[in-house]
Amino acid sequence: MDAFIETGDNLLNGEVQVEDGRPDAATVKQLTALYQQAPWQSYDAETVRRAVQLAMLKAIRVDEVQANHQLTPDTIAYIMGYLVTRLEHNKQHLTLLDLTVGTGNLLTAVLSQLNAVVAGTIDAYGVDNDDTMLAIAQLSSELQRLPVNYVHQDALEPLLVPASDLVVADLPIGYYPVDANAAGYQTHATTGHSFVHHLLLEQAVRQLTPGGIGVFLVPSQLFQTEEAKGLLKWLPNNAYLQGLLNLPSELFANANAQKAILILQKPGAGAKQVKQVMLGEFPSFKDQSAFQKFVAEIVQWEEQNLMTKRA
């Protein structure tokens, strides 16, 4: 990953950076020739993003990157992006935040899709406490020519970003080690460490503007664990649960690893709890007809239930 960061900097600067005589002249010549074979300025954002993603997939295997630092798969990023484009199209201004941006694959995939439908400007922000991940995200967005503001901080401390109309996040799963910070959240555990994904959901809703939407990748069993009691107690008074859509089981090694897309909306600005919460499971991606039909049903539900509430 460090090698990727250095290469990305070289591409952006248009020359091989040399420090303390390294790399040597022969290597500089070799790298320069290789860079000339990759005219990245002529590629569109999606081509660059996919190239970065392939590099990251290789790095994940070689560096044995932990699960919470692995990128959001393209298929899932596209689905989440499509869902939010239906909610935000034709807006004159949009503030977008990814609370757990990592290498930026989800945020830039969503941002590219939104750029095609949002009539006005998009102010995008990414937060992460890992400086290596953040450096990769910064490079990725710069190579894609997508303006994003990145902040290096713990996402569960007071956020250094403005309130957001839309939050997207592939939430890390596990325990949050800083109990003193967790104590400030209603979703904290009564004993021991708290689940970080519970705390992040609460933080995301806090950060949303009234009527704002949060779209999150979460465990399918989010509300069915023993630890979910605090989350279920917090939810009714703080956010509207508008949808929970399981991703196809075929994408995951076992049932316990299955993920879902969670849609929450912050009260205010005319937002209301929908009468019919969108629940279901995406059909297999291999069955294109059934998949397209299911997506069409989701779009129809959004237009009838969510978009009118935010008009």
Side-chain angles (χ1 to χ4, degrees), residues 12 33 52 73 80 142 158 165 172 222 228-229 242 256 263 272 277 289-290 303:
L12 287 169
V52 172
M80 294 176 71
E142 287 184 10
D165 306 306
L222 177 69
K229 291 179 181 177
Q242 309 291 40
N256 292 331
I263 303 172
K272 295 180 180 179
V277 176
S289 176
E303 292 175 345

Side-chain angles (χ1 to χ4, degrees), residues 6 9 35 80 86 106 157 190 228 234 257 274 281 300:
E6 187 168 344
D9 284 335
Y35 294 160
M80 294 176 71
R86 303 307 304 170
L106 173 61
E157 293 182 350
T190 52
W234 162 81
V274 298
E281 179 168 329
Q300 183 181 27

Side-chain angles (χ1 to χ4, degrees), residues 81-94 113-120 122 166 299 302-303 307-308 310:
Y82 187 73
L83 292 178
V84 301
T85 60
R86 303 307 304 170
L87 298 171
E88 307 294 355
H89 75 283
N90 294 329
K91 290 197 72 171
Q92 292 304 310
H93 179 261
L94 179 68
Q113 292 178 74
L114 284 170
N115 276 334
V117 299
V118 171
I122 302 174
L166 173 66
V299 169
E302 285 183 328
E303 292 175 345
M307 294 173 69
T308 54
R310 306 187 73 202

Side-chain angles (χ1 to χ4, degrees), residues 119-179:
T121 58
I122 302 174
D123 294 328
Y125 296 84
V127 172
D128 208 282
N129 65 349
D130 186 294
D131 55 353
T132 299
M133 298 290 110
L134 215 57
I136 292 168
Q138 180 79 54
L139 280 172
S140 179
S141 58
E142 287 184 10
L143 289 167
Q144 294 178 62
R145 296 177 290 280
L146 293 173
V148 179
N149 304 286
Y150 290 101
V151 179
H152 182 211
Q153 71 161 113
D154 182 339
L156 290 170
E157 293 182 350
L159 290 171
L160 304 173
V161 297
S164 305
D165 306 306
L166 173 66
V167 174
V168 297
D170 180 349
L171 296 181
I173 309 303
Y175 292 101
Y176 181 63
V178 188
D179 294 335

Side-chain angles (χ1 to χ4, degrees), residues 1-302:
M1 287 194 170
D2 290 339
F4 173 81
I5 293 170
E6 187 168 344
T7 292
D9 284 335
N10 289 343
L11 288 171
L12 287 169
N13 293 326
E15 62 180 6
V16 179
Q17 299 174 75
V18 178
E19 187 173 341
D20 296 329
R22 302 185 68 181
D24 60 26
T27 305
V28 169
K29 183 177 180 180
Q30 186 179 9
L31 286 171
T32 301
L34 287 168
Y35 294 160
Q36 289 172 351
Q37 296 174 33
W40 61 271
Q41 298 95 331
S42 65
Y43 302 149
D44 60 28
E46 275 301 284
T47 301
V48 173
R49 188 184 63 78
R50 286 194 294 268
V52 172
Q53 178 185 231
L54 288 171
M56 288 302 97
L57 289 171
K58 178 70 177 291
I60 285 167
R61 287 194 296 269
V62 174
D63 293 355
E64 297 181 352
V65 173
Q66 61 160 296
N68 280 337
H69 284 174
Q70 295 182 15
L71 52 78
T72 308
D74 254 11
T75 306
I76 297 173
Y78 278 128
I79 292 172
M80 294 176 71
Y82 187 73
L83 292 178
V84 301
T85 60
R86 303 307 304 170
L87 298 171
E88 307 294 355
H89 75 283
N90 294 329
K91 290 197 72 171
Q92 292 304 310
H93 179 261
L94 179 68
T95 303
L96 168 66
L97 169 66
D98 187 338
L99 270 178
T100 56
V101 71
T103 60
N105 196 55
L106 173 61
L107 178 60
T108 54
V110 170
L111 184 54
S112 287
Q113 292 178 74
L114 284 170
N115 276 334
V117 299
V118 171
T121 58
I122 302 174
D123 294 328
Y125 296 84
V127 172
D128 208 282
N129 65 349
D130 186 294
D131 55 353
T132 299
M133 298 290 110
L134 215 57
I136 292 168
Q138 180 79 54
L139 280 172
S140 179
S141 58
E142 287 184 10
L143 289 167
Q144 294 178 62
R145 296 177 290 280
L146 293 173
V148 179
N149 304 286
Y150 290 101
V151 179
H152 182 211
Q153 71 161 113
D154 182 339
L156 290 170
E157 293 182 350
L159 290 171
L160 304 173
V161 297
S164 305
D165 306 306
L166 173 66
V167 174
V168 297
D170 180 349
L171 296 181
I173 309 303
Y175 292 101
Y176 181 63
V178 188
D179 294 335
N181 282 352
Y185 291 83
Q186 296 179 45
T187 52
H188 77 274
T190 52
T191 58
H193 293 325
S194 304
F195 270 158
V196 67
H197 46 296
H198 292 181
L199 302 175
L200 285 167
L201 285 172
E202 183 176 346
Q203 177 75 310
V205 171
R206 289 182 184 180
Q207 193 65 16
L208 284 169
T209 57
I213 295 281
V215 181
F216 310 96
L217 190 63
V218 299
S220 292
Q221 306 299 317
L222 177 69
F223 298 113
Q224 299 171 27
T225 65
E226 183 66 24
E227 293 86 353
K229 291 179 181 177
L231 185 64
L232 289 166
K233 184 178 179 181
W234 162 81
L235 187 59
N237 297 319
N238 294 278
Y240 299 134
L241 172 58
Q242 309 291 40
L244 184 65
L245 303 164
N246 285 333
L247 291 160
S249 56
E250 69 193 32
L251 294 181
F252 307 96
N254 56 67
N256 292 331
Q258 189 172 8
K259 297 288 186 74
I261 296 174
L262 172 69
I263 303 172
L264 298 180
Q265 188 168 23
K266 187 168 184 172
K272 295 180 180 179
Q273 177 63 59
V274 298
K275 294 180 180 179
Q276 180 184 356
V277 176
M278 174 58 80
L279 301 172
E281 179 168 329
F282 283 92
S284 168
F285 294 152
K286 298 173 185 175
D287 188 342
Q288 285 295 306
S289 176
F291 181 79
Q292 290 172 4
K293 181 181 178 183
F294 187 74
V295 170
E297 290 173 356
I298 296 172
V299 169
Q300 183 181 27
W301 169 83
E302 285 183 328

